[in-house]
């Protein structure tokens, strides 16, 4: 793995858990206040995808050519779309 790949891997290792904990806390709060499960899961998915997309956009100038970067960006967009579909369908 080249230098850019290691930088991106380390970036993901140190940021994804923090985003996951934050968005998980938001999901817990939504469920605790009595929001419908489908609505809470749709908001969770959209927020998680948006936060991952923000992270990928921050590091884009450094690692935009990596396959892993493109995979994480596609996953982020997919999570946002799934969240929208759950909110519309739920």
């Amino acid at each position: 793995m080249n230098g850019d790949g290691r930088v991106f891997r380390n970036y993901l290792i140190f940021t994804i858990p923090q985003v996951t904990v934050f968005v998980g806390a938001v999901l817990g709060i939504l469920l605790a206040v009595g929001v419908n499960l489908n609505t809470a899961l749709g908001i969770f998915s959209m927020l998680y995808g948006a936060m991952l997309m923000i992270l990928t956009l921050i590091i884009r100038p450094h690692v935009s050519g990596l396959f892993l970067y493109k995979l994480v960006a596609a996953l982020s967009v997919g999570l946002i779309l799934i969240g929208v579909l759950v909110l519309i369908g739920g």
Side-chain angles (χ1 to χ4, degrees), residues 34-86:
V35 174
N36 182 13
L37 180 63
N38 285 339
T39 304
L41 289 176
I43 292 170
F44 169 80
S45 180
M46 284 179 39
L47 184 61
Y48 197 35
M51 302 240 351
L52 288 178
M53 182 56 71
I54 290 168
L55 291 175
T56 56
L57 290 175
I58 289 171
I59 200 165
R60 180 176 168 232
H62 304 287
V63 294
S64 62
L66 295 176
F67 174 74
L68 183 60
Y69 172 80
K70 294 174 184 173
L71 184 67
V72 171
L75 175 71
S76 302
V77 171
L79 281 170
I80 293 169
L81 292 175
I82 289 171
V84 169
L85 290 175
V86 168

Side-chain angles (χ1 to χ4, degrees), residues 1 3-15 59 63 66 68:
M1 183 176 281
D4 287 342
R6 269 186 293 230
V7 168
F8 188 59
R9 184 195 65 207
N10 290 338
Y11 185 75
L12 291 177
I13 287 171
F14 291 113
T15 57
I59 200 165
V63 294
L66 295 176
L68 183 60

